[in-house]
Amino acid sequence: MRRPRRDIVWIPTFALLVAFAVPWPLWGVDRVVAGLPVWIWWHVAWLGLCTVLFSRFARSGAWERGMGLRPGRDGDDRAAGGDAGAPAAGGERP
């Protein structure tokens, strides 16, 4: 299975997110901004960036392609204009 070029871009993107999740440049820095250490602000900003990038990753369809799924098949009618909040047919039921 060949991956589209746009999906391959996500691999280094997530590698960078993991590498910089630890605030390496801020080790040994004791600055405080708004009552909190700078490294905490680093994590707050980093989690916001991760949220935005993961949202774009999921919406791009790369998640489904990476899992070997094809959007719009197997009872999932979201691609066909169905209700995005409705569970896919055949899922677990209480």
Side-chain angles (χ1 to χ4, degrees):
M1 178 174 109
R2 290 193 55 181
R3 291 182 186 258
R5 198 175 272 180
R6 64 179 180 231
D7 288 354
I8 294 177
V9 170
W10 290 111
I11 296 169
T13 300
F14 286 124
L16 285 172
L17 286 177
V18 169
F20 287 104
V22 176
W24 306 107
L26 297 176
W27 281 14
V29 175
D30 294 331
R31 283 189 77 191
V32 173
V33 175
L36 294 173
V38 175
W39 63 270
I40 289 181
W41 292 114
W42 173 281
H43 281 300
V44 169
W46 207 251
L47 289 173
L49 178 64
C50 289
T51 301
V52 169
L53 288 176
F54 187 76
S55 174
R56 292 193 66 189
F57 170 73
R59 289 182 181 165
S60 73
W63 180 271
E64 286 88 2
R65 288 187 297 275
M67 293 292 153
L69 303 175
R70 291 185 181 171
R73 291 187 51 168
D74 299 328
D76 186 6
D77 62 351
R78 287 181 286 179
D83 182 14
E92 292 184 30
R93 293 193 172 92

